Amino acid sequence: MSYTFEILGVSPILYFFNQQQERQQKQPTGVEYVASYKCSLDALIQSVENISPNQSWDLDKVVDSVINFWMHNSESIEYWKSRLQDAGRENLLVGRVADVNSLRTEFELLFDG
């Protein structure tokens, strides 16, 4: 199974928390949203290491996807680091980690709906 990671944006803490609560009430989809107070490789790795154990993912490969993103997207990382700093302390950096097939299915459902 292959995985993908991407930074999606900056979100107020309460909004992200509410969205996570709603997602937890649904069946696992193979797509997880993670958040961090800091835009650093260590912080993002720690956020994916806290993913629900209900996902039968290979954690080493998931972490590798975060590292790969970090190594190949320096401009995007600098942009989001700046946006997070501008947003203030009540906000989080939000990312998405997913197995590629589940993410593809989720996107197809968006277009079919």
Side-chain angles (χ1 to χ4, degrees):
M1 188 178 307
S2 60
Y3 303 93
T4 181
F5 175 83
E6 185 174 11
I7 294 175
L8 299 177
V10 175
S11 172
I13 295 168
L14 287 176
Y15 181 78
F16 180 77
F17 177 75
N18 287 334
Q19 292 297 314
Q20 288 295 84
Q21 292 297 319
E22 287 180 23
R23 287 187 60 80
Q24 287 178 355
Q25 294 173 2
K26 299 176 183 176
Q27 282 190 311
T29 62
V31 178
E32 292 284 338
Y33 295 88
V34 296
S36 173
Y37 288 102
K38 295 183 348 184
C39 184
S40 70
L41 179 57
D42 289 342
L44 293 172
I45 288 173
Q46 184 176 12
S47 71
V48 299
E49 288 177 338
N50 292 326
I51 291 175
S52 171
N54 293 338
Q55 297 286 5
S56 58
W57 288 354
D58 180 338
L59 188 56
D60 290 335
K61 287 183 179 179
V62 173
V63 169
D64 286 347
S65 73
V66 175
I67 294 169
N68 187 43
F69 176 86
W70 193 266
M71 299 300 289
H72 294 97
N73 294 283
S74 60
E75 287 181 22
S76 175
I77 291 163
E78 288 303 315
Y79 174 81
W80 288 117
K81 187 180 287 189
S82 178
R83 297 294 68 79
L84 181 61
Q85 186 175 5
D86 292 345
R89 299 182 71 179
E90 299 298 317
N91 292 279
L92 299 167
L93 182 70
V94 178
R96 178 185 57 223
V97 63
D99 75 73
V100 173
N101 291 331
S102 293
L103 185 59
R104 183 178 298 120
T105 299
E106 194 166 285
F107 285 151
E108 287 172 358
L109 289 172
L110 288 174
F111 292 119
D112 290 340

